[in-house]
Amino acid sequence: MDTLISMRVFCTVAELKSFTAAAERLGVSPAMTSKHVMHLEERLSARLLNRTSRHVSLTESGALYFEQARQMVDGLDELEAAVGQTAVAPKGRLRLSAPVWMANPLFASLLTDYRARYPEVTLDVDLSGRLVNLVDEGFDLALRVTDAPDSGLIARAIADAPFYFVASPKFLARSGRPASLDDLKGAPLLAYSIAAGDGVVTLATEQGRRTIRFTAVLQSGNETLLHYACLEGMGFAFLPKWLVSDDLAAGRLQRVLPKKMFFAGRLLAVYPSRKHLSVKVRSFLDFIARDPRLK
């Protein structure tokens, strides 16, 4: 039995989490699909998949093998296309990690348009907010707002992602609108626990760095909760422009001291290596980097 074909079959099963679905995509019988996977397991002397009547999942050995095999299969497809001077269509599962706050209409519309252009790609998006290990956990790439990406990863700048200092009109009517940074001392802040969980915020101003000590009335690592609490009038919050742009346009939130209170974030796409960058990853990076909605 051809090991390379077995690798391709195994990658399809792992991607679709189903022998039946993999068989349909590859145009073979489920029994033959199973035989190819068993061939690999016998060759490697390791179980690659956990199988039940309703579910297929990767074992620890299977996850490691899948990541390496997928790169080889994708690379072979690209090589054959290059030799044959034909374009390779992006396909397969694209596993992506992104911040919680990217669960918003703008990002959803971007993913929809990408999928419409590349219908053979399936999207697996993790918005847990965890700082995932791309290699160990099998992610193709991650979108992160950071000034210091992991030195072991490749980083590509995608778009500006500023965080605005905002509050609801009812909160401002009740508490008053600050006229200066001094007015913010002790003010209620809905604090992002990773960056300002203690309520202490340091900003770059024209006069140098300035530290403001708020009262952190709510701490959370989930920007969606902070967003809703801000809409309800609990306090001030630093929230991503992408998340609050509709609220600002509709008047549900207002920027406060906009020339002084903001963070000029930068959205980066990070991935393990340029050497094995698949067509699907490259196509997604190019698509989002060129999309005018992110400018």
Side-chain angles (χ1 to χ4, degrees):
M1 187 168 283
D2 191 308
T3 299
L4 184 57
I5 294 176
S6 296
M7 288 174 59
R8 190 182 298 276
V9 172
F10 164 74
C11 288
T12 306
V13 173
E15 176 188 321
L16 300 179
K17 299 182 175 64
S18 167
F19 281 92
T20 302
E24 291 177 356
R25 174 179 289 187
L26 296 170
V28 298
S29 68
M32 181 56 69
T33 302
S34 181
K35 286 181 180 179
H36 276 292
V37 174
M38 290 174 62
H39 166 68
L40 284 181
E41 291 179 323
E42 290 174 1
R43 179 183 175 86
L44 297 168
S45 298
R47 187 161 55 106
L48 301 177
L49 294 172
N50 294 312
R51 306 163 175 84
T52 67
S53 60
R54 296 185 178 180
H55 185 65
V56 175
S57 64
L58 290 165
T59 64
E60 184 176 352
S61 297
L64 177 63
Y65 188 77
F66 173 56
E67 289 310 309
Q68 299 299 319
R70 184 175 61 168
Q71 291 180 6
M72 292 179 62
V73 170
D74 288 347
L76 181 61
D77 288 342
E78 294 178 39
L79 176 60
E80 290 177 343
V83 172
Q85 297 183 341
T86 59
V88 178
K91 61 182 178 180
R93 182 180 65 154
L94 178 65
R95 195 158 187 232
L96 166 69
S97 171
V100 175
W101 54 264
M102 295 195 79
N104 62 60
L106 173 60
F107 190 54
S109 66
L110 187 149
L111 294 178
T112 301
D113 291 348
Y114 172 79
R115 183 67 174 62
R117 181 174 296 183
Y118 303 110
E120 293 188 66
V121 177
T122 57
L123 299 165
D124 182 351
V125 183
D126 179 281
L127 298 178
S128 65
R130 297 183 302 113
L131 191 63
V132 302
N133 186 308
L134 296 182
V135 176
D136 291 349
E137 298 185 54
F139 284 91
D140 294 298
L141 74 155
L143 298 178
R144 295 173 180 167
V145 177
T146 178
D147 294 325
D150 190 313
S151 60
L153 299 174
I154 306 300
R156 175 176 172 179
I158 298 298
D160 291 328
F163 280 59
Y164 291 161
F165 188 62
V166 297
S168 69
K170 59 184 175 183
F171 171 80
L172 293 173
R174 182 175 70 246
S175 302
R177 178 180 289 274
S180 69
L181 297 182
D182 291 333
D183 295 337
L184 295 174
K185 182 179 179 180
L189 179 70
L190 311 176
Y192 186 48
S193 55
I194 296 176
D198 58 358
V200 178
V201 175
T202 300
L203 298 166
T205 69
E206 294 179 354
Q207 292 74 38
R209 296 182 70 79
R210 175 76 180 272
T211 297
I212 303 171
R213 298 186 181 278
F214 293 88
T215 298
V217 297
L218 172 64
Q219 300 178 37
S220 178
N222 188 306
E223 299 94 336
T224 303
L225 175 61
L226 301 179
H227 177 212
Y228 284 128
C230 191
L231 287 168
E232 291 297 324
M234 186 182 287
F236 297 103
F238 285 98
L239 293 172
K241 173 186 174 183
W242 294 7
L243 185 61
V244 301
S245 57
D246 288 347
D247 297 313
L248 293 172
R252 293 185 294 268
L253 291 176
Q254 296 177 11
R255 292 187 66 182
V256 177
L257 298 173
K259 294 183 179 180
K260 299 179 179 180
M261 295 293 290
F262 68 93
F263 288 110
R266 187 75 170 155
L267 182 69
L268 303 180
V270 296
Y271 44 96
S273 171
R274 288 192 183 95
K275 186 176 180 181
H276 299 295
L277 196 62
S278 66
V279 171
K280 65 187 174 188
V281 174
R282 190 179 298 113
S283 69
F284 185 78
L285 292 174
D286 291 344
F287 183 86
I288 61 175
R290 296 170 182 167
D291 195 289
R293 289 168 291 188
L294 305 186
K295 306 305 180 184

